[in-house]
Amino acid sequence: MRRRTLLASLAATPLAATAARAAGTIKAVATFTILADLVRQVGTNHVAVTSLVPPDGDAHVYQPRPADLRAIAQAQLLVENGLGLEGWMQRMGAAASFHGVRVVAAEKVTPRTMTEDGKVATDPHAWQDPRNGVLYVQAIAAGLAAADPDHAEAYRDTGTRYAAEISKLDTWIAAQFAPIPPAQRRIITTHDAFGYYGARYGIELLAAEGLSTEAEPSAKSIATLVAQIKREKVRAVFLENMTDPRIAHMLASESGAVLGGTVYSDALSPPNGPAATYLAMLRHNTTLFVRAMTAT
Ligand SMILES: [Zn+2]
């Protein structure tokens, strides 16, 4: 009887899904490491998560590999950011063979726009505002519940608890910046990844590159930025883990600003690094920004 039931379910379910159920886990693919961590935090041991873009990788210009397409085809859940970040998913037809539950994590976010070269562009880096992180977690928890109804309640509970942790960290970050006079709250980064973070905590941001890393900054835009750093007495230039460090080094040496260290914008660090999780990333970035703003 048991065998017959198993055979019947084999006939009705794709093989990959059956194998996953047998192991007690579902397979999820996230486009980059920050989303993969959110899925891992909410899914705990019910989910095996793969990130397409690796730690310290650049989610703007990624080229999916054949192994990525196989992972997507076998997954029950696919989580992407949206807001135009992963243009390569569409260009590569990466999700053509995916038949599971698809989550656009930023779906409920109010997008920021910026004018770049006279054109209005949507800023995809919504996760840098922890209040958006909460919206991401809610979308992911709902997606997990849909992909794996057996554990729906666990995903909802864990999601609620984890969202509360994110909100608590948001309050902590706001408290770190509160004593710093607004004129000192200025940051230079290599690409414009901290717009949501800056809007949340009242920080003015300048960057060498735009919202994406697809175009290298021109000599003219670098010269303009150096002049601005000097004029506005910006103290520190930050390296980003996933962009070319030469840009930040050049900005610092030409403007006289100090290098404030490496912050994590679009990718987590490897597991043994200082930003191995979403919460660790927010804490690490905040600590470095505050240190540079308050250095005497
Ligand atoms: Zn970016």
Side-chain angles (χ1 to χ4, degrees):
M1 209 40 211
R2 209 189 151 85
R3 178 163 296 169
R4 259 184 77 165
T5 316
L6 182 64
L7 281 174
S9 71
L10 270 176
T13 331
L15 208 61
T18 310
R21 279 291 159 77
T25 58
I26 61 162
K27 287 182 179 157
V29 169
T31 47
F32 62 110
T33 47
I34 294 167
L35 298 181
D37 179 54
L38 299 183
V39 175
R40 202 169 287 123
Q41 300 295 337
V42 179
T44 62
N45 58 357
H46 303 304
V47 184
V49 194
T50 305
S51 174
L52 300 183
V53 181
D56 292 332
D58 186 339
H60 294 281
V61 294
Y62 186 67
Q63 300 272 348
R65 304 156 305 164
D68 295 332
L69 305 183
R70 281 197 297 278
I72 292 173
Q74 289 173 4
Q76 287 84 50
L77 183 74
L78 175 60
V79 181
E80 57 201 302
N81 183 70
L83 303 178
L85 178 71
E86 305 102 330
W88 44 269
M89 283 288 284
Q90 243 163 9
R91 282 198 297 276
M92 306 290 291
S97 53
F98 177 71
H99 302 292
V101 175
R102 200 163 171 173
V103 171
V104 177
E107 199 170 45
K108 296 271 171 67
V109 162
T110 306
R112 282 182 79 254
T113 53
M114 286 180 93
T115 308
E116 274 189 343
D117 306 323
K119 276 186 265 170
V120 176
T122 301
D123 183 350
H125 306 89
W127 60 87
Q128 290 292 352
D129 180 338
R131 296 172 306 180
N132 290 335
V134 168
L135 298 177
Y136 279 37
V137 164
Q138 287 165 352
I140 288 167
L144 281 165
D148 180 18
D150 291 355
H151 298 113
E153 212 181 309
Y155 297 134
R156 264 192 297 273
D157 289 353
T158 315
T160 304
R161 270 202 308 276
Y162 180 53
E165 262 189 83
I166 297 174
S167 297
K168 205 172 133 195
L169 184 60
D170 173 52
T171 306
W172 178 84
I173 296 171
Q176 305 311 299
F177 289 114
I180 302 172
Q184 263 169 261
R185 297 189 199 174
R186 293 204 177 105
I187 294 173
I188 311 273
T189 56
T190 37
H191 93 294
D192 244 327
F194 291 96
Y196 290 88
Y197 184 95
R200 168 69 185 101
Y201 303 112
I203 297 161
E204 190 192 334
L205 293 136
L206 302 167
E209 289 178 80
L211 292 171
S212 178
T213 55
E214 279 165 294
E216 294 240 323
S218 66
K220 183 164 170 271
S221 71
I222 295 272
T224 307
L225 191 54
V226 166
Q228 197 175 2
I229 295 170
K230 287 180 177 167
R231 193 171 60 239
E232 300 187 8
K233 301 187 171 52
V234 180
R235 294 152 179 244
V237 173
F238 290 89
L239 298 156
E240 280 168 67
N241 65 318
M242 38 57 74
T243 58
D244 186 342
R246 287 174 302 180
I247 297 166
H249 282 284
M250 181 163 56
L251 283 173
S253 72
E254 293 198 9
S255 69
V258 299
L259 281 173
T262 300
V263 289
Y264 291 78
S265 54
D266 298 12
L268 298 178
S269 67
N272 57 355
T277 64
Y278 176 63
L279 295 179
M281 174 191 79
L282 289 169
R283 261 192 301 266
H284 172 85
N285 292 347
T286 301
T287 303
L288 261 58
F289 290 149
V290 167
R291 189 183 298 158
M293 288 174 194
T294 56
T296 48

